[in-house]
Amino acid sequence: MRRLESGMTVDNECFSDIFRYEHETISGATIINSNVGSPIFWNCNLHHLVFDTCDLTNARFFAGSTMDHCTFIRTDLRSVGIGKGEAVFTHCEFTSCDMRGMTLENAAFIDCTFVKCRFNDRVLQAANIVNCSFTGKLVDITFEGNGKQKLIVDLRNCILDGVQFAGCDLTQCIPPKSKNHLYMEQVSVRVKNALAKLDDDPNLSDDERKILVRSLRKLEHMEQYIFNTAYMKKIYGDVFVERFFSSLE
């Protein structure tokens, strides 16, 4: 059974089911079509590793492990475990990887790219996603900050379906270039004015007013926001979406 070693190139190999790497530096390896088993990385440094069509579902990262200039292609990362604040990925590339279930919120990603990866229904901390770019569809993702935390990400090649922003400053975020996406500023002021106007709108039923108020209040602490109008119409209907945005004018 194999273990990860610097400089190795392997294809369709079996690795030790459980192996603990402590205070090791592993670099310049290419792993293809392999199940890497259940490696535990404890204060390890991984450099210039390539995992192509591999199973890394049971990998664990602890005690300040670092990964830099590593490439993950069509790799299964679904159950990768990371201790809170105990792993940093820098200049890493993730392409067509399955990252659902990976404890992304516990790691920091700096200058990384994510291309057509799957990590639905996750909360990503703005402080831990720095100067990263995303390509493809993001589904039910929440980018969360501390109230004034700048979200520094490139979303220009994304479709945002059910993506939310909470406590983030979006002034350094590059919004999607798709015509269905709308970047809006002065959101909190617009919401305050909209809520005041809703009380005096005789054309709204009680149910319509409740839905609008609930939707607007989610935005009252945001200064900027990115909306996917096509997604909103699919969920709420054309009439609601038209009314929603007219209230924010």
Side-chain angles (χ1 to χ4, degrees), residues 40-234:
I40 300 172
F41 298 101
W42 187 271
N43 193 21
C44 289
N45 301 312
L46 310 183
H47 306 282
H48 294 278
L49 303 186
V50 176
F51 295 94
D52 187 345
T53 319
C54 290
D55 186 344
L56 273 167
T57 52
N58 293 313
R60 299 289 182 268
F61 296 91
F62 299 107
S65 291
T66 62
M67 284 62 62
D68 68 82
H69 292 90
C70 292
T71 301
F72 303 83
I73 304 168
R74 294 182 297 275
T75 291
D76 193 342
L77 303 167
R78 280 178 293 177
S79 300
V80 170
I82 301 171
K84 190 169 183 178
E86 295 186 351
V88 179
F89 294 80
T90 306
H91 295 289
C92 291
E93 299 179 8
F94 301 85
T95 302
S96 299
C97 294
D98 193 340
M99 306 174 78
R100 295 173 297 171
M102 181 179 180
T103 49
L104 292 164
E105 62 275 14
N106 286 348
F109 295 88
I110 302 168
D111 296 312
C112 294
T113 61
F114 301 86
V115 179
K116 297 182 179 179
C117 293
R118 302 175 68 187
F119 39 90
N120 303 12
D121 194 23
R122 308 298 299 174
V123 176
L124 303 180
Q125 298 298 321
N128 294 338
I129 307 289
V130 180
N131 201 32
C132 293
S133 67
F134 295 81
T135 297
K137 182 180 287 189
L138 299 184
V139 180
D140 296 332
I141 298 295
T142 297
F143 290 99
E144 184 177 76
N146 60 8
K148 296 182 179 180
Q149 182 69 51
K150 291 186 183 297
L151 178 63
I152 308 173
V153 296
D154 185 343
L155 303 176
R156 77 182 79 190
N157 295 312
C158 281
I159 296 174
L160 308 181
D161 279 6
V163 173
Q164 300 183 62
F165 304 91
C168 298
D169 178 338
L170 302 184
T171 54
Q172 294 189 35
C173 172
I174 301 176
K177 59 186 179 183
S178 165
K179 64 180 180 180
N180 294 323
H181 293 81
L182 174 65
Y183 173 78
M184 183 178 290
E185 296 184 326
Q186 298 181 320
V187 174
S188 62
V189 172
R190 292 172 186 265
V191 168
K192 182 179 179 180
N193 293 336
L195 291 171
K197 288 187 291 185
L198 288 180
D199 291 336
D200 301 323
D201 191 340
N203 299 315
L204 288 175
S205 68
D206 288 342
D207 286 343
E208 289 171 332
R209 184 176 286 104
K210 287 178 182 178
I211 295 173
L212 269 173
V213 168
R214 186 164 59 245
S215 299
L216 289 167
R217 286 203 181 281
K218 292 179 181 179
L219 305 171
E220 60 185 345
H221 298 299
M222 292 295 298
E223 294 303 318
Q224 310 85 20
Y225 210 80
I226 303 171
F227 302 93
N228 181 344
T229 56
Y231 177 82
M232 292 176 68
K233 289 177 180 178
K234 183 172 66 175

